[in-house]
Amino acid sequence: MKRIATGAALAAGGLAVTALAFAPSAAAVTPTTATVTASCGIFGGGTATLTATQSGTSATLTLTSSAITTPLALSANSIASTLTMTNSTGANRVFSGTVNPAMAAGSPVTVGPLPGTVASGDSLDFYKGSLKMVIFGITVTCTSSAAQSPGPFVF
């Protein structure tokens, strides 16, 4: 009886290892960074970097730019940001939150990581999307006139 139980346990363990070996890997966004040229009104404009991460259907996007600067000193987590990305495979995706580091007047802008939801196959681009930042009750909108490089984020 012991041999049968041991054999069954080994067989079950072998099946589990085989199933893990053939299980699909976790989804990963590609590329993980992209460059955009943004125009942000009083914040200025120029090159910005978008960084994407993904864990299943949850994703985050962070925008950083030394060309786009703050006109005033800002405390941490004081910018209400909404980043809308166009999706060539369906509905636009929105990433929003109040995550930013403290920034002195004239500092480069960083917002995020901003959380959002994605679906497998989403192809997201900042072009024709926007970043809206509400600072001290004033809305600043950033847009781009060209596709991001090297291409859209594919989830």
Side-chain angles (χ1 to χ4, degrees):
M1 188 65 145
K2 240 182 184 180
R3 282 186 190 188
I4 293 173
T6 301
L10 286 174
L15 286 173
V17 168
T18 302
L20 283 174
F22 291 105
S25 60
V29 59
T30 57
T32 55
T33 61
T35 303
V36 299
T37 301
S39 175
C40 301
I42 63 170
F43 272 43
T47 303
T49 300
L50 283 169
T51 304
T53 64
Q54 179 184 9
S55 178
T57 59
S58 297
T60 64
L61 288 176
T62 302
L63 181 135
T64 58
S65 177
S66 57
I68 303 166
T69 59
T70 64
L72 304 167
L74 299 171
S75 60
N77 305 321
S78 63
I79 302 174
S81 301
T82 303
L83 176 61
T84 302
M85 301 287 286
T86 59
N87 183 4
S88 67
T89 63
N92 290 350
R93 300 294 181 198
V94 177
F95 298 81
S96 61
T98 55
V99 181
N100 64 274
M103 294 174 266
S107 292
V109 167
T110 297
V111 294
L114 303 172
T117 302
V118 294
S120 179
D122 277 357
S123 181
L124 306 183
D125 197 316
F126 185 69
Y127 178 56
K128 296 187 180 178
S130 66
L131 170 64
K132 291 184 181 179
M133 299 176 284
V134 179
I135 305 146
F136 301 124
I138 299 169
T139 300
V140 176
T141 302
C142 300
T143 58
S144 181
S145 58
Q148 64 192 41
S149 176
F153 294 117
V154 178
F155 293 87

